[in-house]
Amino acid sequence: MFEHVPRYAGDPILSLVQTFLKDPREHKVNLSIGFYYDGAGKVPVLGSVSQARDRIDTSVPAVYLPMEGDAQYRKAIQETVLGAGHRAVAEGRVATIHTLGGSGALKVGADFLKAHFPGSEIWISDPTWENHYNILGGAGFPMHAFPYYDAATNGIRFDEMLATFEKLPERSIVLLQPCCHNPTGIDPSREQWLKIIDVLVARNAIPFFDMAYQGFGDGLEEDAWVVREVANRGIAMLVGNSFSKNMSLYGERVGGLSVVCPTADEASRVLGQLQATVRKNYSSPALFGSRVVSTLLNDPALREEWKGEVAQMRTRIHAMRKGLRDRLHALRPDLDVDYFVNQRGMFSYTGLNPAQVDRLRDEFGVYLIQSGRMCVAGLFEANLDYVAASMAKVLA
Ligand code: PMP
């Protein structure tokens, strides 16, 4: 019956992790997959999260959540993404649902948009998180890339990006990462964002923000700046957010999708259609993680503690960036490696080409993904010297 079903080649990043696990070398270093590791090289359990978990009354039966998720959880998402007391929320213009992580936000958002903007096409940065193609393309949208990464300067091809946006057909959907761009680590400046917004407004485009790393760049509030700026202006937009990384709750599938609408009437229509989209997909979201997140975010003391823990994770990432830059600078004064400290978030485009990535893995046991993307959060004091020394030998 299923003979004709083709074999799945597997996800390249997840397959690489399997190869890493089988690698017998003791000094091996995994800088491939997007996990935040602490200074001891472990995926952390945050103190605020474990306290929230301890408070959950497990004698309450696990009945279904509504299609859109729990009301307290959704309120907490709006406050985290848009800031407490945002005008758009007070005016009832934001339709927010619980989604299965940031991936679920992309999927529900894309299905919703496909149903109601069937002629639109999606634009995503070149390069982007590979799964954007699967999820957004899988919803049936033609996909286009807009210029983003500039290998020559390790910056953004800003003028070309803007020129592309200036020619967009009306109601084009533009997928943007508000902070900690995956895979490059390079974000537009605020000045650049303002120009981007002006062009998207002029083109009557639909911004779809994918915020998977809020808090890992410059701060929980700072990282959401562009999202809030667009919401302040009353522009229709979508924003997906994820607690996978900033709460270290990857497997609980806790995220959200918020659609900011020009009027409260539109928001209530949109919320209904988001509910319908969820119903057609998986019916209702997962309960336990949302109880943990909601308990945490709705308790002022736990929320403060969490903010402190996010700050610690962010500070550690910055310290590792600086540690790598300083070591490489000492070993290879001929190279300009300042980009490591100018980039933000968990990822860095190292500038290594596929052959160099292969050499780093085969000769030194240091695993990056083929594009040269490194997960900076996989660095810690104990492996920093070794990684820097290995990279210094491999970088051209
Ligand atoms: N968007 C981006 C840019 C990501 O990097 C990721 C996670 N790698 C996601 C969305 C998905 O997040 P989640 O794991 O919460 O589904």
Side-chain angles (χ1 to χ4, degrees), residues 100-103 106 129 132 177 182 210 212-213 242 244-245 253:
L100 304 179
S103 307
L106 292 166
W129 181 45
H132 282 147
Q177 297 185 42
N182 180 5
D210 177 18
Y213 302 93
S242 167
S244 300
K245 319 279 159 59
R253 314 312 291 135

Side-chain angles (χ1 to χ4, degrees), residues 29 268 377:
V29 182
S268 76

Side-chain angles (χ1 to χ4, degrees), residues 106-132:
L106 292 166
K107 171 66 180 158
V108 175
D111 282 354
F112 162 76
L113 288 169
K114 187 68 196 163
H116 303 287
F117 298 85
S120 291
E121 307 198 345
I122 295 194
W123 294 77
I124 51 177
S125 63
D126 172 26
T128 194
W129 181 45
E130 276 305 312
N131 216 15
H132 282 147

Side-chain angles (χ1 to χ4, degrees), residues 4-317:
H4 63 290
V5 176
R7 227 165 260 291
Y8 176 45
D11 180 87
I13 301 183
L14 301 180
S15 311
L16 192 63
V17 173
Q18 291 310 313
T19 314
F20 173 81
L21 291 173
K22 286 190 207 127
D23 188 331
R25 290 174 285 184
E26 258 174 40
H27 57 271
K28 65 185 178 178
V29 182
N30 186 7
L31 304 176
S32 61
I33 195 164
F35 278 124
Y36 172 84
Y37 298 94
D38 63 17
K42 300 258 181 306
V43 175
V45 178
L46 302 190
S48 54
V49 169
S50 71
Q51 287 174 65
R53 199 154 49 190
D54 289 347
R55 285 190 203 171
I56 288 171
D57 178 359
T58 46
S59 68
V60 176
V63 296
Y64 292 123
L65 279 173
M67 294 169 267
E68 70 279 16
D70 170 72
Q72 291 301 310
Y73 175 87
R74 293 162 53 223
K75 173 176 94 58
I77 286 187
Q78 294 179 336
E79 284 176 5
T80 308
V81 171
L82 293 171
H86 195 283
R87 196 158 37 96
V89 176
E91 292 169 2
R93 292 192 285 109
V94 187
T96 298
I97 63 162
H98 172 182
T99 58
L100 304 179
S103 307
L106 292 166
K107 171 66 180 158
V108 175
D111 282 354
F112 162 76
L113 288 169
K114 187 68 196 163
H116 303 287
F117 298 85
S120 291
E121 307 198 345
I122 295 194
W123 294 77
I124 51 177
S125 63
D126 172 26
T128 194
W129 181 45
E130 276 305 312
N131 216 15
H132 282 147
Y133 282 97
N134 298 326
I135 299 178
L136 304 173
F141 281 107
M143 308 277 291
H144 308 278
F146 60 80
Y148 194 78
Y149 177 65
D150 186 345
T153 62
N154 220 285
I156 296 178
R157 289 157 65 192
F158 188 69
D159 293 342
E160 290 161 76
M161 172 166 82
L162 225 50
T164 305
F165 289 163
E166 274 161 5
K167 292 196 287 274
L168 289 180
E170 297 238 329
R171 294 176 156 197
S172 293
I173 299 155
V174 182
L175 200 281
L176 297 159
Q177 297 185 42
C179 60
C180 310
H181 185 265
N182 180 5
T184 64
I186 303 163
D187 296 328
S189 66
R190 287 195 179 181
E191 203 190 347
Q192 288 175 326
W193 273 125
L194 290 173
K195 290 187 180 152
I196 294 170
I197 298 169
D198 284 345
V199 175
L200 296 182
V201 171
R203 296 306 314 134
N204 204 15
I206 305 171
F208 190 162
F209 289 104
D210 177 18
M211 185 159 61
Y213 302 93
Q214 187 181 2
F216 280 12
D218 292 310
L220 282 160
E221 314 298 331
E222 292 84 346
D223 289 354
W225 176 82
V226 65
V227 172
R228 294 173 188 181
E229 180 67 23
V230 174
N232 284 342
R233 296 210 203 168
I235 301 161
M237 67 154 183
L238 288 80
V239 51
N241 75 294
S242 167
F243 298 111
S244 300
K245 319 279 159 59
N246 61 19
M247 289 199 187
S248 198
L249 279 174
Y250 306 84
E252 294 293 355
R253 314 312 291 135
V254 273
L257 174 67
S258 299
V259 184
V260 179
C261 305
T263 65
D265 177 59
E266 284 175 59
S268 76
R269 291 164 194 267
V270 168
L271 181 62
Q273 290 305 325
L274 295 178
Q275 290 168 317
T277 309
V278 167
R279 184 76 180 146
K280 282 181 232 172
N281 264 298
Y282 49 83
S283 205
S284 68
L287 178 65
F288 188 75
S290 97
R291 293 176 79 188
V292 175
V293 173
S294 175
T295 304
L296 190 163
L297 291 177
N298 287 305
D299 180 289
L302 281 184
R303 195 182 168 106
E304 277 314 300
E305 191 171 333
W306 172 64
K307 285 184 179 172
E309 291 182 293
V310 174
Q312 275 175 17
M313 294 193 277
R314 177 172 66 247
T315 308
R316 201 189 84 73
I317 293 173

